[in-house]
Amino acid sequence: MNEKLKIKISIADRVYPLTVEMSQEEGLRSASKKIDGMIKQFEENYAVRDKQDVLAMCALQFASQLEQKNVDNSIDGTESIERLTKINELLDQYLK
């Protein structure tokens, strides 16, 4: 059963009420803490005029990290090789 949970997440001194799956709560709370930490870091290191500028920089940072991880995985192929190895092992077990 997918039980919904009502939580409040604070980002950049604003509270956002959300209704989420219980399994999502920990990830959302962790993400909001990382965002607030990044906001603080940007405000300390750069002359920031507006919270929106800081939030845009946080979004860019998170998006670029995700994209870089995708690029690294496609170049490296380690993840794909591991998956193919597991599939191969499963097929060997099934065919024996």
Side-chain angles (χ1 to χ4, degrees):
M1 184 189 327
N2 292 337
E3 204 169 318
K4 299 283 185 174
L5 187 63
K6 292 185 179 194
I7 63 173
K8 291 181 181 179
I9 298 292
S10 175
I11 299 172
D13 299 325
R14 285 195 177 182
V15 176
Y16 298 91
L18 302 171
T19 301
V20 300
E21 302 287 333
M22 288 183 74
S23 61
Q24 295 176 310
E25 180 188 12
E26 184 178 350
L28 287 167
R29 292 194 188 280
S30 176
S32 73
K33 285 180 184 178
K34 286 181 182 180
I35 292 168
D36 278 337
M38 194 176 288
I39 287 170
K40 185 177 179 183
Q41 193 174 31
F42 279 127
E43 287 176 334
E44 289 173 356
N45 294 325
Y46 303 102
V48 179
R49 294 177 292 192
D50 189 334
K51 283 281 189 199
Q52 185 173 343
D53 293 336
V54 177
L55 289 169
M57 292 304 297
C58 288
L60 178 62
Q61 179 114 3
F62 281 117
S64 68
Q65 289 172 355
L66 179 62
E67 287 302 313
Q68 188 61 48
K69 185 176 181 180
N70 289 337
V71 168
D72 292 345
N73 282 341
S74 68
I75 292 172
D76 183 9
T78 302
E79 186 177 326
S80 297
I81 292 170
E82 289 174 4
R83 285 182 179 176
L84 288 171
T85 302
K86 288 179 184 179
I87 290 170
N88 196 30
E89 289 171 1
L90 289 171
L91 285 171
D92 282 345
Q93 290 174 1
Y94 181 75
L95 295 173
K96 287 184 181 181

